[in-house]
């Protein structure tokens, strides 16, 4: 992707303008930038490696890839299609389609699930975004150079044990997100995605290059890509499914909102596949960067949410120009998290504006501050409340802190539920000719998609739910 050389007018600014004004930035590109900005985030670089490590590697990765291909991409297409056909914010798009196609307005529930999920996810997402901010200073100061795994681990534990520092960086991250949402200026940031994402990709490649010199690259590749099904549990399958939704920003009507700005002549299938491939590529690259370092230093693949913060700093401490690359890496990670965070807050703010008649500043402040306050519970889960498992009496939630519960409830339950509703809406209730027209696929491909959202997605989500939750 290259950046326009002819100045600001080339890009229509926000997505809002993308239908009206087209310059060097095609609207397809504008959509891809916004959708990729939302999709690529902490989910790819922070969460994917650690859930893969916790769930035993290859078999989990395979299930995750299958979920992306046969559930994620079709659901993304359905969301974008509903958004484009509705032409409004998610709640109103569904209302508009409901009127046009004669559906029950109860489908608005999809929007409600999304708003709740976004709000809950952002509360802990911002805490992790704060970790990334904190690590800019850690890497830039040069204190990592030549450190041992123990020392790097101690720096991370030091951060977690300090609620004040965590709160400071959580506050900074949330403020960054609120600033952009309140001002309604997405354009600059979205344009930046076209430079920063490739830059993040290159830095990941540099770390992968370093990881190859550790002598444990083969072991890492085998861990990621040689499925050992004895390692896979039913809860692992649920986590893989939930993560497919999380990483692609699905199940929350975000892609619906973006789809409403996609011009009619652009292929929904091709754009959805492009976004999904970029997103998956970043995650796999992060895995290839991190696991060689894990094995080379005798670390634990299942170390949990701290995994990248206990491994990447080791690499940056050892490679040439590590302080520079490390600092750049965490700055880029913050940008990736920032564009995702915005897409988590935006739906709530839009809803408050539309339904409650608040102006943008007030609704951003209201939603942002409540979300920030909820984040404090996640911060305390890392230290003072580390042993507090409020729902521990339920066997599958045993030992889960508030932070773990928020992650579990949103990624593994709310998002797949939102996705299930989208699949049911597209597969069973929307007008088929209208969808044929909207997707403009060959009859064979359309039917493949239709059968998937009508049967395969609901059955797959249903079976995984029943196995895990019953
Ligand atoms: N996809 C983002 C990530 O991987 C997180 C995210 C942003 C998200 N917006 C979302 C997840 C909407 C679900 C729904 O980091």
């Amino acid at each position: 992707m290259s950046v326009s050389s002819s100045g600001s007018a080339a890009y229509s600014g926000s997505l809002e303008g993308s239908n009206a004004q087209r310059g060097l930035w095609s609207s397809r590109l504008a959509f891809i930038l916004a959708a990729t900005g939302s999709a690529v985030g902490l989910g790819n670089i922070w969460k994917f490696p650690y859930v893969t490590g916790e769930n035993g590697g290859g078999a989990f990765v395979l299930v995750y890839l299958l979920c992306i291909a046969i559930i994620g991409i079709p659901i993304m297409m359905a969301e974008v299609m509903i958004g484009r056909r509705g032409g409004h914010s998610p709640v109103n798009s569904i209302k508009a389609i409901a009127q046009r196609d004669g559906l029950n307005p109860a489908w608005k529930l999809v929007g409600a699930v999304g708003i709740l999920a976004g709000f809950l996810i952002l509360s802990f997402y911002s805490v992790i975004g704060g970790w990334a901010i904190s690590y800019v200073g850690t890497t830039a100061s040069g204190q990592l150079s030549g450190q041992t795994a123990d020392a790097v681990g101690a720096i991370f534990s030091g951060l977690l044990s300090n609620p004040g520092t965590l709160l400071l960086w959580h506050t900074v991250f949330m403020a960054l997100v609120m600033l952009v949402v309140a001002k309604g200026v997405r354009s600059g940031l979205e344009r930046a995605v076209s430079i920063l994402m490739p830059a993040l990709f290159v830095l990941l490649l540099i770390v992968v290059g370093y990881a190859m010199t550790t002598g444990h690259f083969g072991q890492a590749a085998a861990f990621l890509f040689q499925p050992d099904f004895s390692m896979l549990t039913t809860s692992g399958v649920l986590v893989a499914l939930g993560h497919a939704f999380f990483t692609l920003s699905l199940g929350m009507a975000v892609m619906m909102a973006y789809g409403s700005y996609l011009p009619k002549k652009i292929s929904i299938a091709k754009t959805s596949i492009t976004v999904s491939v970029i997103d998956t590529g970043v995650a796999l690259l992060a895995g290839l960067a991190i696991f060689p370092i894990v094995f080379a230093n005798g670390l634990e693949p299942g170390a949990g949410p701290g995994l990248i913060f206990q491994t990447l700093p080791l690499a940056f401490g050892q490679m040439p120009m590590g302080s520079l690359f490390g600092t750049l890496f965490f700055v880029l990670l913050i940008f990736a998290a920032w564009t995702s965070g915005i897409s988590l807050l935006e739906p709530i703010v839009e809803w408050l504006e539309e339904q409650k008649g608040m102006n943008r500043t007030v609704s951003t402040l209201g939603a942002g501050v409540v979300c920030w306050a909820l984040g404090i519970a996640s911060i305390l889960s890392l230290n003072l409340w580390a042993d507090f498992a409020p729902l521990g009496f339920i066997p599958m939630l045993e030992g889960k802190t508030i932070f773990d519960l928020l992650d579990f409830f949103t990624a593994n339950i709310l998002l797949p539920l939102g996705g299930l509703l989208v699949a049911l809406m597209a597969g069973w209730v929307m007008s088929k000719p209208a969808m044929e027209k909207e997707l403009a696929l060959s009859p064979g491909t359309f039917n493949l998609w239709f059968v998937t959202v009508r049967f395969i997605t609901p059955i797959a989500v249903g079976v995984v739910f029943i196995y895990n939750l019953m």
Side-chain angles (χ1 to χ4, degrees):
M1 276 185 266
S2 68
V3 182
S4 126
S5 53
S6 62
S8 57
Y11 178 57
S12 53
S14 65
L15 274 169
E16 279 84 331
S18 63
N19 279 332
Q21 190 185 350
R22 248 164 266 145
L24 283 177
W25 291 88
S26 74
S27 311
R28 176 164 187 264
L29 187 54
F31 173 85
I32 289 179
L33 291 180
T36 312
S38 169
V40 176
L42 295 170
N44 306 65
I45 292 172
W46 160 72
K47 197 171 176 191
F48 172 74
Y50 99 73
V51 290
T52 297
E54 282 183 340
N55 288 284
F60 174 86
V61 173
L62 185 68
V63 176
Y64 154 78
L65 291 175
L66 279 175
C67 287
I68 295 277
I70 63 178
I71 299 177
I73 293 176
I75 296 282
M76 190 185 290
M77 288 169 60
E79 279 201 19
V80 176
M81 177 198 72
I82 292 173
R84 186 162 80 180
R85 179 154 169 75
H88 298 280
S89 74
V91 173
N92 287 339
S93 280
I94 295 170
K95 229 191 268 172
I97 294 177
Q99 273 162 10
R100 218 176 321 169
D101 297 359
L103 313 187
N104 188 325
W107 286 103
K108 280 193 303 191
L109 197 63
V110 182
V113 169
I115 287 165
L116 178 67
F119 178 77
L120 297 177
I121 293 175
L122 183 59
S123 76
F124 67 85
Y125 202 87
S126 168
V127 174
I128 313 294
W131 295 1
I133 301 179
S134 151
Y135 266 76
V136 172
T138 311
T139 40
S141 70
Q143 58 175 299
L144 292 169
S145 77
Q147 288 298 1
T148 61
D150 283 346
V152 165
I155 292 175
F156 182 66
S157 322
L159 173 65
L160 291 199
S161 65
N162 192 332
T165 314
L166 292 171
L167 183 63
L168 170 68
W169 299 126
H170 161 56
T171 309
V172 171
F173 186 87
M174 194 65 96
L176 284 173
V177 169
M178 286 165 66
L179 188 78
V180 175
V181 173
K183 294 210 168 290
V185 285
R186 312 269 309 269
S187 56
L189 208 62
E190 253 134 38
R191 202 172 337 166
V193 165
S194 68
I195 309 166
L196 300 177
M197 286 301 167
L200 183 63
F201 208 78
V202 169
L203 269 171
L204 276 173
L205 280 176
I206 291 173
V207 184
V208 171
Y210 164 81
M212 285 180 167
T213 69
T214 62
H216 290 260
F217 192 76
Q219 190 186 351
F223 178 75
L224 285 170
F225 300 118
Q226 272 174 16
D228 171 0
F229 287 97
S230 68
M231 302 293 284
L232 193 65
T233 58
T234 43
S235 85
V237 175
L238 178 65
V239 174
L241 174 75
H243 187 62
F245 282 98
F246 187 90
T247 192
L248 293 178
S249 298
L250 296 179
M252 221 197 89
V254 164
M255 293 298 165
M256 231 179 258
Y258 290 180
S260 64
Y261 302 116
L262 191 66
K264 292 284 180 193
K265 66 179 200 316
I266 290 180
S267 161
I268 290 177
K270 270 192 224 155
T271 20
S272 303
I273 291 171
T274 307
V275 173
S276 306
V277 167
I278 296 175
D279 186 78
T280 309
V282 173
L284 294 178
L285 213 52
L288 285 174
I290 284 157
F291 283 104
I293 305 169
V294 170
F295 294 124
N297 292 281
L299 299 169
E300 187 49 58
L307 191 64
I308 69 159
F309 297 92
Q310 288 156 323
T311 50
L312 291 179
L314 269 174
F316 294 128
Q318 281 160 17
M319 66 170 79
M321 299 202 290
S323 292
L324 175 68
F325 287 143
T327 310
L328 261 176
F329 175 85
F330 284 109
V331 168
L332 293 171
L333 183 59
I334 293 166
F335 271 100
W338 194 9
T339 50
S340 302
I342 290 162
S343 78
L344 288 163
L345 184 59
E346 183 78 36
I348 318 161
V349 169
E350 237 168 61
W351 178 78
L352 287 174
E353 276 184 315
E354 273 177 15
Q355 306 294 317
K356 306 279 166 215
M358 297 182 188
N359 74 32
R360 189 158 261 268
T361 315
V362 174
S363 36
T364 307
L365 263 176
V369 168
V370 178
C371 196
W372 169 85
L374 183 61
I376 296 173
S378 287
I379 289 181
L380 294 174
S381 302
L382 302 167
N383 35 66
L384 300 176
W385 295 354
D387 298 321
F388 176 44
L391 300 178
F393 55 88
I394 302 169
M396 74 177 311
L397 302 178
E398 204 186 312
K400 287 200 188 306
T401 62
I402 295 180
F403 169 81
D404 300 331
L405 289 174
L406 283 168
D407 175 41
F408 181 87
F409 179 63
T410 51
N412 301 349
I413 297 181
L414 279 183
L415 298 181
L417 191 66
L420 179 67
L421 292 174
V422 167
L424 292 176
M425 182 167 167
W428 294 89
V429 284
M430 280 176 72
S431 132
K432 202 172 166 192
M435 295 195 296
E436 271 166 331
K437 198 166 139 244
E438 205 64 63
L439 290 177
L441 297 166
S442 70
T445 319
F446 177 84
N447 280 324
L448 188 66
W449 171 82
F450 189 65
V451 166
T452 307
V453 292
R454 192 172 165 90
F455 299 110
I456 299 183
T457 308
I459 292 173
V461 174
V463 166
V464 175
F465 268 10
I466 288 167
Y467 260 90
N468 276 281
L469 309 176
M470 296 294 141

